[in-house]
Amino acid sequence: MPKPLTDQDKRKQISVRGLAGVENVSDLKTNFNRHLHFTLVKDRNVATKRDYYFALANTVRDHLVGRWIRTQQHYYEKDPKRVYYLSLEFYMGRTLQNTMVNLALENACDEATYQLGLDMEELQDIEEDAGLGNGGLGRLAACFLDSMASLGLAAYGYGIRYEFGIFNQKIVNGWQVEEADDWLRYGNPWEKARPEYMRPVHFYGRVEHTPEGVKWVDTQVVLALPYDTPVPGYRNNVVNTMRLWSAKAPCDFNLKDFNVGGYIQAVLDRNLAENISRVLYPNDNFFEGKELRLKQEYFVVAATLQDIVRRFKSSKFGSTEVVRVDLSTLPDKVAIQLNDTHPAMAIPELMRILLDTEHQKWEKAWDICTRTCAYTNHTVLPEALERWPTDLLQNLLPRHLEIIYEINRRHLERIAKLYPGDHDRLRRMSLVEEGDQKKINMAHLCIVGSHAVNGVARIHSDILKATLFKDFYEVDPHKFQNKTNGITPRRWLVMCNPGLAEVIAERIGEDYIRDLDQLKKLLAFVDDDSLIHDIAKVKQENKLKFSAYLEEHYKVKINPNSMFDVQVKRIHEYKRQLLNCLHIITLYNREIQVAAPGYHTAKLIIRLITAIGEIVNHDTVVGDRLKGLPTSSTYIFSLPCLISLFRFLSFSLSQISTAGTEASGTGNMKFMLNGALTIGTMDGANVEMAEEAGEENLFIFGMRVDDVDAMDKSGYDAMDYYNRIPELKQAMDQIAGGFFSPDQHDLFKDIVNMLLHHDRFKVFADYEAYIKCQEKVSALYKNPKEWTKMVIHNIAGCGKFSSDRTISQYAREIWGMEPSLERIPAPDDPRQ
């Protein structure tokens, strides 16, 4: 059995980690000691690991800053069109290793820290996880920023600097317990506060219509303080900016009327204002109409649009001189991409600026707005679509509600001319939903106010055009596009799985890191015994590490020669973790015979998963032939753990959502790139993955979208499956009868009731197909050579799923920009 790589072996690795004298090791050591000294640690013998981490981070940051400044100089001198990516979530994760990879510093830093008697991986583990997102949407935004920089686009990410990010998850006595993610408690060496660009954001107040124009008066002001984080491109000297806003209360104490009670209340009021950037909302697939959330959404777009207009009006680096006064050319220099409906208030806010501040006529302002903004939809689930009550908007943002009403009036006038007498169509297409509580449909606002609307996988985009946005597509088919999601290979292969990255580079060179389509060259080696051996060796080494990791941290011993079947997903009914649970129970029963704080159901699913693990893992009859995780008292699954999961590579990924419910999925792409085989439905990006790798190289099962539609019309009867399939009935009876919860027999009654009587996602309908497909997986796993050949086909088919490809399409087809692989001059190169 192969042994894991030693530290000495790792230092011998070359190419993708950036050895070959890219940076001077002695200079890195000197800078490291200098930064350690700056942390007030005079004696290295008393320095903590955190002191060492900050010294290393600051040393690496030094190599960023010059490139960062040079990049911004380059943009101000060339005055290119700029794209602004607005997102309420940026799941950036850890920055240190990503920066070292993109600057070709990793091996030099590794050698420098080794010579200083330190362990690089230990220092990397010190870094806090910047978990400013819930999952796929926030992580996609982070991948996109990496690709924008790597493609030389003048791009900016704008969001909120949440004081507390996605909660840390613990499992205590089988139940999920959430802990606050205080990721800033030790400081963040990668960000820089920019108080000179602080902007006021207004709330509440009233609207006055005067002869001089419309005025929004008597407002409450919150200040938006920007923090900038550098985003390096891959070895092209480009460093873009992610600007996150933090809410601050204005310092306007009235000392003339000072009294102790008033002063204390003023301080408390400051805290209320600053709550806007205090915490990330924990659900991205369930809409809750809370005032604080609406404040967050307006806060980020109001501050960002002020910043965009300021930058548009100035030209040369560092200049505050206004050189553009006419905003009619804004769409030629500015593209704004709305990442889902969360930043939708950018549309009425831009209109407010153009109408009330810049005094444009409505028609001209609307033309500028629609040519500037574009909208990405991420879900078809009804509960995730934002609909804000008009009474909440009237109180919080009265001027914006007026503008939305006017947008809707003009929009419906147009529809009425196109479809005379079709009142039902007017109702369906209105931005204002009537009912017990009048609401604004934010998706409709985004479609009407944008020049482009895209889904994130071909099947998802087709569903939007055929169902959710069918009326809008019929009116403006030219607006609708598809942009299949992608992932950055720098983080999700080079960083996560350096052994596999090296094996690939040895066969086809390193250029695939910039151009993932080159992975197709691996098809020439699919029958090559040496490649088959090397990939199998890397995977086995990773499985050994993963097994050791699980035993150390979760006290569960697994056989590293077994197949690892994993499902890395947020807990949600449509992702159908319950189908996986039923499969585990079925396997367990066969073996015996042979031998997101989200909502209530999600937490109950987690409890069922842990309960199954408790029974399965302690059954001496089953032994080590079947193991279920998680089972420990503490289970934290943040981005570093996810990266670890790829590095300690699994073999099979379950992507088993009901066909037509998963917009795209990116976890499937990450596993595919790392050589895991997918068992999944024809949903989201799985459809295109099957096309690229060949459907015969994935394990596809279950209903297709047309089958689901037909079942919706004919009716889904879960009891029919329950009564007809003995193994399914046995599994459900065990859950319902307390087999997995002996201390509380009715613990899972809500899950049982939901599956039998209220299951929108039709788990039972795909049960038989899933079990049979899993049997095919197990059969192929017994033939390691054929399994590895299938792995090679999957890796070779990953080229399409690079975020570089996705961003290139956004740039050319939506933003009107041209990507470039050209390197800009490094800080120490002479300027042209």
Side-chain angles (χ1 to χ4, degrees), residues 164-370:
F164 297 95
I166 183 63
F167 61 88
N168 289 326
Q169 180 197 53
K170 281 193 170 186
I171 303 297
V172 179
N173 297 325
W175 290 97
Q176 172 177 287
V177 176
E178 301 85 30
E179 290 186 344
D181 173 33
D182 191 5
W183 71 288
L184 291 170
R185 62 188 178 277
Y186 299 111
N188 178 9
W190 304 104
E191 67 180 6
K192 176 171 176 52
R194 303 299 301 272
E196 67 272 28
Y197 294 124
M198 189 151 55
R199 293 288 177 260
V201 177
H202 298 261
F203 294 100
Y204 304 107
R206 56 188 176 84
V207 180
E208 289 184 351
H209 293 264
T210 70
E212 294 78 29
V214 181
K215 295 181 180 179
W216 184 17
V217 298
D218 296 336
T219 60
Q220 294 182 17
V221 176
V222 176
L223 298 178
L225 172 64
Y227 286 80
D228 288 356
T229 299
V231 181
Y234 183 70
R235 302 182 187 180
N236 62 353
N237 295 323
V238 172
V239 180
N240 284 338
T241 301
M242 177 179 68
R243 176 162 287 182
L244 302 181
W245 301 99
S246 181
K248 301 294 178 186
C251 296
D252 55 358
F253 292 108
N254 189 345
L255 296 181
K256 290 188 300 180
D257 301 324
F258 176 80
N259 63 72
V260 173
Y263 173 77
I264 291 175
Q265 187 58 49
V267 173
L268 294 176
D269 289 344
R270 286 176 60 86
N271 289 336
L272 287 175
E274 294 175 2
N275 281 342
I276 291 174
S277 59
R278 192 80 69 198
V279 65
L280 168 74
Y281 266 77
N283 284 312
D284 67 351
N285 268 105
F286 186 76
F287 173 66
E288 290 184 288
K290 302 291 179 65
E291 179 175 314
L292 178 59
R293 177 64 169 180
L294 181 57
K295 277 187 173 181
Q296 288 181 336
E297 294 183 0
Y298 178 67
F299 173 77
V300 68
V301 302
T304 297
L305 282 167
Q306 291 179 70
D307 218 32
I308 290 172
V309 171
R310 173 196 62 78
R311 190 176 289 113
F312 169 77
K313 288 184 173 182
S314 62
S315 61
K316 293 184 179 179
F317 179 73
S319 170
T320 57
E321 179 185 356
V322 175
V323 295
R324 289 192 186 102
V325 294
D326 183 6
L327 266 66
S328 61
T329 60
L330 188 75
D332 300 326
K333 290 295 183 181
V334 170
I336 295 175
Q337 190 68 38
L338 308 178
N339 192 26
D340 218 336
T341 57
H342 310 138
M345 291 304 296
I347 293 169
E349 173 64 8
L350 181 55
M351 286 297 291
R352 187 192 67 80
I353 292 171
L354 293 169
L355 294 169
D356 300 352
T357 304
E358 302 295 330
H359 305 293
Q360 299 275 355
K361 298 294 185 183
W362 180 278
E363 291 76 11
K364 184 64 177 177
W366 186 242
D367 177 67
I368 293 170
C369 179
T370 54

Side-chain angles (χ1 to χ4, degrees), residues 90-111:
F90 284 99
Y91 204 157
M92 300 303 290
R94 291 173 172 175
T95 299
L96 175 58
Q97 189 181 4
N98 185 72
T99 302
M100 292 190 295
V101 166
N102 281 7
L103 297 187
L105 277 172
E106 193 171 16
N107 266 340
C109 287
D110 198 8
E111 183 62 30

Side-chain angles (χ1 to χ4, degrees), residues 785-803:
K785 186 171 183 178
E786 292 303 313
W787 181 282
T788 306
K789 284 185 179 182
M790 192 179 285
V791 165
I792 296 170
H793 277 285
N794 273 264
I795 297 172
C798 271
K800 178 178 182 177
F801 306 109
S802 169
S803 51

Side-chain angles (χ1 to χ4, degrees), residues 19 95 116 200 324 410 413 561 587 603 683 764 832:
L19 198 62
T95 299
L116 290 167
R324 289 192 186 102
R410 292 170 180 255
E413 276 186 1
N561 293 314
L587 286 181
K603 287 194 171 186
D683 194 26
F764 290 0
Q832 297 177 356

